[in-house]
Amino acid sequence: EDQVTQSPEALRLQEGESSSLNCSYTVSGLRGLFWYRQDPGKGPEFLFTLYSAGEEKEKERLKATLTKKESFLHITAPKPEDSATYLCAVQETTSGTYKYIFGTGTRLKVLA
Amino acid sequence: DAGVIQSPRHEVTEMGQEVTLRCKPISGHDYLFWYRQTMMRGLELLIYFNNNVPIDDSGMPEDRFSAKMPNASFSTLKIQPSEPRDSAVYFCASSPGTMETQYFGPGTRLLVL
C-alpha cells in the first residue's frame, strides 16, 4: 500500500536549535515530493518540490533533500515564526492518473 | 490575484442536511483539487478535475459525496445527507499543472451535529 510517514509527530526546539524533519514514503512511480507549511486555521502553503534522488532546495532557514526512500526538511537556527505544521506529500502516477498522498505532518514549536 | 476562494468559511449543520461547499480557483489554473483534513487521517485527496473534467474521484468516501465543476472558475462539493463523521476542514486547491505547486484556499470548517 502506498504510504507517506512523517516523523516526529511533534517537535519542540529552542530558538537557534537546528533539527531535521523526516518524510519516508513507499510509492510506486514517484513523480515528485512536496513540502508544505500549514499555520493554524489556514491552508497549506507551498515550500518545495523535489523530483529526483540527490536533489536539494533551500529557502531561508529551510533546506529540503530527497533520497529514494525519504526526504528531510532541515531547519537551521529556527525562529519562533517557523512554528507551524510541516506537511510532506508525494505525487505518483498510476494508470494515467495522478495520486497525491499527504503525510500527517510534523507540528513544530520553536521557543524564544 | 486573490488566491483560491472558498465559501462558507464555517458551516454548522445537523445530521441529514445537505451541505454545499464552494470554491473559486485561481484564474488560469487547469487543475482543481478537493481535500478533507482531520486530526486522525490528515489531509486526504477526495477528487481532482482537469479542465473542468473529473479525473480521479477514488478518494470520495461514499455516494453521499459529489463534486461538480460547471466552469473554469467554480466548483462545488456536496454532501447529502451529512453525517457527524463528515465533520472536518475541507480544502480546495488549484494548480496550473500536475507537476506544479498546488495553491490552497483557506478551507471550510464543517461541523455536523
Side-chain angles (χ1 to χ4, degrees), chain B:
Chain B
D1 199 316
V4 175
I5 298 173
Q6 291 186 248
S7 64
R9 294 293 312 277
H10 301 274
E11 177 82 27
V12 180
T13 190
E14 292 188 346
M15 181 174 64
Q17 297 297 307
E18 178 179 295
V19 175
T20 299
L21 310 181
R22 298 173 176 79
C23 175
K24 176 180 170 54
I26 293 173
S27 176
H29 284 192
D30 293 334
Y31 288 82
L32 183 139
F33 307 84
W34 281 103
Y35 289 90
R36 177 172 68 177
Q37 187 174 42
T38 60
M39 287 293 293
M40 290 297 294
R41 298 174 67 88
L43 203 61
E44 300 173 282
L45 177 64
L46 300 177
I47 184 172
Y48 79 90
F49 294 83
N50 179 20
N51 291 322
N52 313 336
V53 177
I55 302 301
D56 185 359
D57 65 354
S58 61
M60 296 286 262
E62 310 173 22
D63 292 343
R64 299 184 295 106
F65 286 70
S66 62
K68 294 181 179 180
M69 192 165 185
N71 57 63
S73 59
F74 184 66
S75 177
T76 60
L77 178 67
K78 186 176 293 186
I79 307 172
Q80 167 63 19
S82 59
E83 296 183 3
R85 59 191 168 128
D86 301 330
S87 298
V89 181
Y90 291 81
F91 287 102
C92 175
S94 70
S95 171
T98 56
M99 293 302 292
E100 302 291 333
T101 301
Q102 292 188 32
Y103 295 85
F104 283 77
T108 295
R109 189 173 297 273
L110 173 65
L111 177 61
V112 183
L113 302 174

Side-chain angles (χ1 to χ4, degrees), chain A residues 59-101:
Chain A
K59 179 181 180 181
E60 297 180 354
R61 296 176 293 281
L62 300 177
K63 177 180 177 181
T65 62
L66 180 65
T67 72
K68 289 187 176 180
K69 294 185 178 181
E70 59 190 350
S71 177
F72 291 93
L73 184 66
H74 306 279
I75 304 177
T76 302
K79 298 182 178 181
E81 54 262 41
D82 295 323
S83 298
T85 296
Y86 291 84
L87 298 169
C88 162
V90 299
Q91 183 192 48
E92 61 159 359
T93 180
T94 305
S95 303
T97 63
Y98 298 95
K99 296 281 185 187
Y100 296 85
I101 307 170

